[in-house]
Each structure stands twice: as structure tokens, then as C-alpha cells.
Amino acid sequence: MKLFIIVIGVIFSLISFDIKAEEITPIPDTETSEKIIKLNPIQIINLAKEFIKNKEYDSAKTLLLKSPFNVKELEIERLYLLSEIATLENRIDDAIEILRFILDYQPNISSIRFKLAQLYMLQKSWYRADYHLRLAATDETLPPPVKQEIAKYIYVARQNKNWNIWFNIGAAPDDNINNATGGEQCIMTMWGVLCNQLSDKEKAIGFNVSLGGSYEFLINDKWRLRNEAMLYSNTYNKKEYDDLYLSYNFGPKYVWKNGEIFAGPSAYRRWLAHQPYSYAVGLKINTGYDFTRSLSGGLTLSYMPTRYDDYGEILDGDTRGINARLSYMFDASKYLIFRTGYEIENTKERIYSNTRNSYAIGFGIELPYGFTMYVEPSILYTNYDKERWFVKNLKFEEIKEKDITRKYSLSLSNRKLSFWGFSPTITYTYTDKNSNVWQHEYEKSAIEMTLNQRF
């Protein structure tokens, strides 16, 4: 009877183990009679947390690196713990790469963006930190203490953004580099209709480089002296369209909790076809302000007296402008940008003086698998101040030119494709210019392939 009770007890124990087989699976070892215990993902994560708490990082890594989990939430937790271990071991670059990997597949996780921003702050990469902090701040479900902490960090980033370097490089095929209409323009004369051939469209392949940097000499927590320089170059297989542009800004900058303002001299120099073309020395005022956690804006005022090397008697004058920008973050992966501007260009020969109004609205989104997309339609209205002579309806007419230029651009990139901190971006732009002067109408398409700094 006693033996029977023992057998029943053993059978009952085996049945109990079988019922919980998903959690702990005993495997008898015929030689040692020891049991190998199989842990489920939740148990692995909890045990890894205990190891991390006790600073047993190697044991935690051994558990977490066995294999990925099939459940998305648990896999994100596993990767996050690996980034925590890398941070605690002072392997900040590895921790950043792990968090970036998570965001490449799940770009809408604000807590991961917040953690990534903190790591960038440890590296003093303030512009990248600011970018991810602003995306994380859009999450209304975050606890109030976390929201307050993010707001504090945004201010810290603003105070410490005293230097930045950017560099883009790429190719840009253009199917109408000379913005030509083509065809003929004809006029009726006493000898009959006389025509001349307008320039045909020319195709070109360009190689562009954009290089810039800024440095701010910190005076105190609020004031600094800002220096900024930029170079932009387009080099084509047809040298007559090569373009080189250099600019420099210098002046005081004031920073406070929700915004900043810069004012100072601004200058540029431009070369076309390897010949000096124009230059300007003027004044620029630039402001930025955070209205809410999701809405920020900026305003730029400029006054630039401009001189031309070969066309001074006609085009010398000045340009005054005001440009505004609003950015709205829907969540940690989607945003909207609205831009508008108004410029007045005065020239010695008034037939070239004009006013320009521009409007643009862009939508950007970070998609799963590392893709990002940005779409922006824009429109530019150009109205000249005085009539000029043009050929129209087989005769000369004085026309005050009015142009409407529409642009539609689409940019696509993948953050997983990264080279030395840069990701490739492909941008397609379609331009359509309409005018009451038909000779100035044109349409063109351009594809630009660049390497852009990854944030």
C-alpha cells in the first residue's frame, strides 16, 4: 500500500510538470539525474533584470543573447535591456545602435526616443538629442514627471547647442538645366513673319556638395557669439552651369527657456560658370520659439544690399525679406512643416525689380523597417514692378511680368543604410512655371541622390 501511494505521488508530480511545460520543462539526465530548466521569455527578462540589478552583466547578456523572442513587445524589452547593459558598461555607441535598431522597426515608441536622446546628451551630440526629445515630447500618454523632464532636457539641449557640422554630397540629374521653353518666337514685319529659335532644353548631370558648420562662443547661460559658415556647390558635366555659393553669419545670440534669437551681419559670395557673379553684405535676424510641446516656429528677417560683377548697372540693389516657419509634431514619427516668405528685390533698372511670395507645406513620416518619407508641394508668386518689351501675338508688347512656379518634391531614405553617420536620400522634384510671358514658361524634373546626416 505504501509503495502504491509513492507511485501515485510520482505520477501526480509528473502530470503537474507537464501542465506547466511552457514555463519550466524538466529533462532528466540519465547519468546525473539533474534537470535542465527551460525559461519562457517573461522569466528570462525578469531574471535578466535581477542580474542587471546585481551588476552581473555577463550573466544577463548570456540570457538575453540566447535567441530573439517571437512576441514584439517582449523582443523590444529584450533589446532595451541589452542597451541598458551597454550603457552601464560605458559602451554608449553600442547602446545607441541598439535603440536606433528598435526605432527603425517601431519609430513611434516615445520612451525609446527619450532614452536615445539621453544617450546623445552623454555624447554632447546636442542637435541629435534635441531632435529625438521633441519627437518624444508629443506623447500625451507620458506621465507628467516624464513630460517635465523632457521639457527640462530640451532647454538643456538648447543651452548647449554651441556647435554643429553638416555635410551632404550627391548627384543630381536635371532634364532642363537651362529652364528653357524651346520652340520659336515670331513677329510680323513689313517683310513678312520673321522667327528666331529659342533655346532648347538641355540635360545635365550634376554633382552637389553642401558643407557647413557653426560655433558659438559661450558668454553665459543666456548669451553667446554665433559664427556660421556654409558652402554649396553644383558641378555639372556642362561647365557653364556650375554654381558655387559661400555664406557667413556672425553676431550675438540670446537663449531662454522657450526660444532663441540671433542678430548680426550676414554676407555671401556667388560664382557662376567659374566666374564671379554677385556678392552681398547685410543684416539678418533669426528667431525660434516653442509654443507647445508639439508646435514650434521661427521667423527670419533679412536686409541684403547686393552687387553684381558684370551686371551692376542693371541689377545692383537690395533684397529685403521676411520668412516664417511652423513645425507641428503629430507623434513620435509624424510631423508637418509650413513655410511662407515675402521678399522685395530692388534693382537699378526697375524693370527687374520684383516682389516674391512663397508658400510650402511638407509632411514627414518615419516608417517601419527604417524608411523615412517627406513630401512637400510649394508655390512661388513673382510679380515684376514695371513693364518690359516682349514678343506676343506676332508683335512687340509691353508686359508687366507675373510668374507662378509650382514645385512638388518627394524624398525617400532608409536609416538602416548608414555610412559613417550618413544615410542615402533620393529626392524627386517636378517644377512647373507658368507666366504671362510665355517665353519664360518651362517645366522640368530632377532627381537628387545625396548622403545626409542621420539623426
Side-chain angles (χ1 to χ4, degrees):
M1 187 64 166
K2 186 176 180 180
L3 179 61
F4 176 78
I5 292 173
I6 293 173
V7 172
I8 293 298
V10 171
I11 293 173
F12 182 79
S13 299
L14 290 174
I15 292 173
S16 299
F17 270 111
D18 187 61
I19 290 172
K20 299 179 181 180
E22 289 186 4
E23 299 179 1
I24 303 176
T25 303
I27 302 175
D29 190 313
T30 55
E31 294 184 3
T32 63
S33 297
E34 294 181 354
K35 296 175 181 178
I36 299 175
I37 298 176
K38 182 180 179 182
L39 302 177
N40 65 28
I42 294 177
Q43 291 170 323
I44 290 174
I45 286 174
N46 289 334
L47 185 55
K49 287 180 179 178
E50 285 297 318
F51 283 139
I52 294 171
K53 183 179 178 182
N54 296 324
K55 298 183 179 181
E56 299 178 42
Y57 304 137
D58 289 338
S59 299
K61 283 188 288 186
T62 300
L63 271 178
L64 295 170
L65 292 172
K66 284 290 185 183
S67 64
F69 300 151
N70 292 327
V71 180
K72 179 178 69 176
E73 291 78 8
L74 296 177
E75 175 63 6
I76 291 172
E77 181 74 7
R78 183 184 75 89
L79 293 171
Y80 177 77
L81 290 176
L82 286 171
S83 74
E84 283 288 286
I85 295 170
T87 302
L88 292 168
E89 293 180 334
N90 203 31
R91 295 183 291 109
I92 305 302
D93 287 338
D94 292 341
I96 286 173
E97 285 304 311
I98 293 171
L99 295 179
R100 275 181 162 180
F101 180 83
I102 295 173
L103 290 175
D104 284 345
Y105 289 93
Q106 296 292 323
N108 213 28
I109 306 177
S110 56
S111 59
I112 299 295
R113 288 199 182 276
F114 182 32
K115 181 62 179 178
L116 180 58
Q118 290 175 306
L119 295 179
Y120 278 134
M121 293 177 79
L122 287 176
Q123 290 189 326
K124 301 186 184 303
S125 185
W126 302 107
Y127 282 87
R128 284 189 169 108
D130 182 77
Y131 173 80
H132 290 284
L133 284 169
R134 292 179 182 278
L135 289 176
T138 62
D139 189 350
E140 296 294 337
T141 65
L142 291 174
V146 176
K147 293 179 181 179
Q148 293 172 4
E149 194 172 9
I150 291 176
K152 180 184 72 175
Y153 283 160
I154 288 176
Y155 180 45
V156 171
R158 190 194 300 277
Q159 285 183 305
N160 286 277
K161 288 191 300 182
N162 71 313
W163 69 273
N164 190 29
I165 295 175
W166 58 93
F167 175 72
N168 298 329
I169 186 170
D174 193 318
D175 70 355
N176 189 3
I177 186 64
N178 56 334
N179 299 335
T181 301
E184 293 182 333
Q185 64 176 3
C186 301
I187 186 170
M188 179 65 72
T189 70
M190 58 185 298
W191 299 283
V193 178
L194 298 179
C195 299
N196 70 297
Q197 185 74 32
L198 297 175
S199 298
D200 291 325
K201 297 179 181 180
E202 293 188 33
K203 296 181 179 180
I205 297 177
F207 179 77
N208 58 58
V209 175
S210 177
L211 172 65
S214 64
Y215 186 83
E216 297 174 1
F217 296 96
L218 301 180
I219 300 174
N220 54 40
D221 289 345
K222 303 290 186 181
W223 287 97
R224 63 276 318 273
L225 284 175
R226 179 177 176 84
N227 292 268
E228 181 181 65
M230 189 188 75
L231 176 150
Y232 182 79
S233 171
N234 266 329
T235 304
Y236 293 94
N237 58 330
K238 298 180 179 180
K239 300 300 182 182
E240 62 268 30
Y241 299 113
D242 288 356
D243 190 359
L244 176 63
Y245 179 93
L246 297 174
S247 68
Y248 176 72
N249 302 311
F250 171 78
K253 179 179 175 181
Y254 181 77
V255 175
W256 69 98
K257 183 177 180 180
N258 293 323
E260 58 190 44
I261 181 170
F262 160 83
S266 179
Y268 80 81
R269 184 59 158 134
R270 188 179 182 188
W271 291 260
L272 285 179
H274 304 275
Q275 298 296 322
Y277 179 70
S278 65
Y279 61 93
V281 178
L283 178 67
K284 182 176 289 187
I285 300 173
N286 191 17
T287 66
Y289 189 78
D290 297 333
F291 299 100
T292 67
R293 289 192 305 273
S294 300
L295 180 64
S296 61
L299 187 69
T300 300
L301 304 174
S302 61
Y303 172 69
M304 301 296 292
T306 307
R307 300 293 177 265
Y308 290 82
D309 294 271
D310 295 331
Y311 308 98
E313 294 300 319
I314 300 173
L315 296 180
D316 280 358
D318 61 71
T319 301
R320 290 165 284 170
I322 177 170
N323 294 276
R325 172 190 173 104
L326 286 174
S327 300
Y328 182 78
M329 307 288 188
F330 292 101
D331 54 36
S333 64
K334 295 184 285 294
Y335 59 92
L336 193 71
I337 295 177
F338 173 75
R339 295 184 292 109
T340 185
Y342 179 74
E343 290 185 335
I344 300 173
E345 182 180 8
N346 295 312
T347 59
K348 279 187 177 180
E349 183 59 61
R350 280 203 59 216
I351 59 174
Y352 296 105
S353 297
N354 64 86
T355 59
R356 297 186 291 270
N357 298 78
S358 63
Y359 306 91
I361 186 165
F363 175 73
I365 183 171
E366 295 194 8
L367 300 165
Y369 304 105
F371 286 98
T372 64
M373 183 177 68
Y374 183 76
V375 182
E376 183 183 273
S378 63
I379 188 167
L380 170 66
Y381 298 94
T382 304
N383 297 318
Y384 286 83
D385 293 353
K386 193 175 179 181
E387 293 85 356
R388 284 185 286 168
W389 289 102
F390 294 97
V391 174
K392 185 176 181 180
N393 298 325
L394 297 179
K395 60 181 181 179
F396 286 107
E397 287 188 21
E398 276 192 305
I399 301 173
K400 187 183 291 187
E401 184 178 355
K402 295 181 180 182
D403 304 328
I404 301 175
T405 305
R406 298 177 179 87
K407 283 189 177 182
Y408 308 90
S409 65
L410 170 65
S411 296
L412 187 66
S413 64
N414 191 292
R415 298 183 306 276
K416 294 176 64 179
L417 302 175
S418 182
F419 310 93
W420 306 292
F422 294 85
S423 295
T425 300
I426 298 177
T427 301
Y428 170 78
T429 303
Y430 172 76
T431 305
D432 180 22
K433 180 180 177 181
N434 298 110
S435 176
N436 61 343
V437 177
W438 69 270
Q439 294 94 331
H440 290 177
E441 293 184 335
Y442 67 86
E443 59 179 346
K444 62 189 290 186
S445 295
I447 297 176
E448 187 176 13
M449 293 163 282
T450 60
L451 289 174
N452 299 308
Q453 185 180 12
R454 177 181 176 180
F455 278 83

